[in-house]
Every structure is written in structure tokens, then in C-alpha cells.
Amino acid sequence: ITMSDVLYETVPVGLWRIDLTTKKLLHANKTTLEILGYSNLDEINSCVDCKKIFSSVDDCDQDFMIKNNQGKNIWVELRGHVNPSGFIEGTIVDITSKKTIESSIKQNIEKNWKDPLGNVNKLNIVNFELDRFYRLIKSNLDMICGCELLFDY
């Protein structure tokens, strides 16, 4: 087992490879399987939602809402690039928490800022939501990097 094999299987970001012509998933690391809720490639290749997102991939950076294997709606960010060898390779990240927080911020802003003469409490609500969002992003970056980032927001 090489260092790159260990890294491929243990990195906290989903990594995958599909065939450029058939759009069939050829490889997926453990994190990809966990995000989608499946235990092997055959299960993912038979999943209608999974086939839909992976078949629409080429050079991309897109967000998709899909049902995982447990039937739960999740948001995933899919990034891919065409490899000249006939593959599309990329990453998949579960961004459900990010989307939930963004939606909450939007709802709070729409609900609390209809009155232009709003008060300090409304601003505090927005600041609280933004603080939660930035902490989530920092935590995810720390996890992806494998270290604590040195900057603080």
C-alpha cells in the first residue's frame, strides 16, 4: 500500500472517477460512499439520483440536492474535470449544513428586515447566523486541511 492509496481512502473529501463515455462510476473512495450512504460502487451505479448527477458532470462546479441511500435529501457539491485519459475525476462534499444555514440566514433577513426601521435585535440575529456560518466553514476547512487554520474571522 502506497502513501497515495492511504491518502485516497482516508481524506475527508469524497473522491471519484467516472468513465468519460459511459458516465459509469469506476472508483470512489470511502468518503464518497459515506456521503451517498452506499457500501459499494454497484449500489451507487444503480442509484437513479447518483446516475443523474454523475452523468451531468464534465468540467464542473455544481451543487445538487439528491436523496442518499437512507432516503434523506442532502446537498452535495460536485467538482469535476476531464482527464485526457478518458476519465472525469473530481470531488464530492456534503454541503447540507451550509445550505441549511444559508437558507436560515435568508429567511431571517427576509422576515426581520421588511421594516427598514428595524432594531438592534434584528441585526444581532443576522450577526449570529453569519457567525454560525463562518464557524462551520472554518471547521470544514480545518477538517479538509487536516490542521487548524491560523486565521480567525
Side-chain angles (χ1 to χ4, degrees):
I1 296 178
T2 66
M3 174 90 86
S4 61
D5 292 336
V6 171
L7 181 61
Y8 180 81
E9 286 303 325
T10 59
V11 68
V13 173
L15 302 174
W16 50 267
R17 175 186 277 181
I18 60 176
D19 183 271
L20 187 57
T21 53
T22 66
K23 302 289 182 149
K24 183 177 178 183
L25 195 61
L26 301 174
H27 299 285
N29 69 351
K30 179 181 162 189
T31 305
T32 300
L33 297 174
E34 289 171 356
I35 289 170
L36 298 174
Y38 291 95
S39 58
N40 61 56
L41 289 178
D42 292 333
E43 290 178 354
I44 293 176
N45 281 322
S46 65
C47 161
V48 173
D49 275 356
C50 299
K51 280 194 240 181
K52 180 175 66 177
I53 66 168
F54 285 111
S55 68
S56 68
V57 171
D58 47 20
D59 282 322
C60 79
D61 180 2
Q62 296 178 331
D63 298 347
F64 296 93
M65 179 187 275
I66 63 168
K67 285 194 184 301
N68 66 9
N69 193 30
Q70 292 74 36
K72 179 182 174 189
N73 284 330
I74 62 169
W75 279 96
V76 294
E77 176 186 74
L78 208 61
R79 292 187 176 177
H81 70 277
V82 176
N83 180 314
S85 301
F87 303 108
I88 302 172
E89 300 171 314
T91 61
I92 185 170
V93 177
D94 183 341
I95 58 168
T96 306
S97 297
K98 174 187 163 203
K99 289 290 190 178
T100 302
I101 291 171
E102 285 175 352
S103 175
S104 175
I105 291 170
K106 183 179 177 189
Q107 288 173 0
N108 278 330
I109 289 172
E110 288 172 357
K111 176 182 169 188
N112 294 312
W113 290 95
K114 287 183 180 175
D115 175 12
L117 301 175
N119 58 37
V120 173
N121 287 334
K122 292 177 184 175
L123 184 58
N124 286 337
I125 290 170
V126 172
N127 283 336
F128 176 77
E129 295 293 340
L130 287 172
D131 184 60
R132 280 184 26 195
F133 176 71
Y134 288 124
R135 287 182 191 276
L136 175 69
I137 296 300
K138 183 179 182 312
S139 170
N140 285 336
L141 286 172
D142 290 347
M143 182 180 70
I144 290 169
C145 296
C147 63
E148 188 169 335
L149 298 176
L150 299 178
F151 66 87
D152 197 11
Y153 59 95

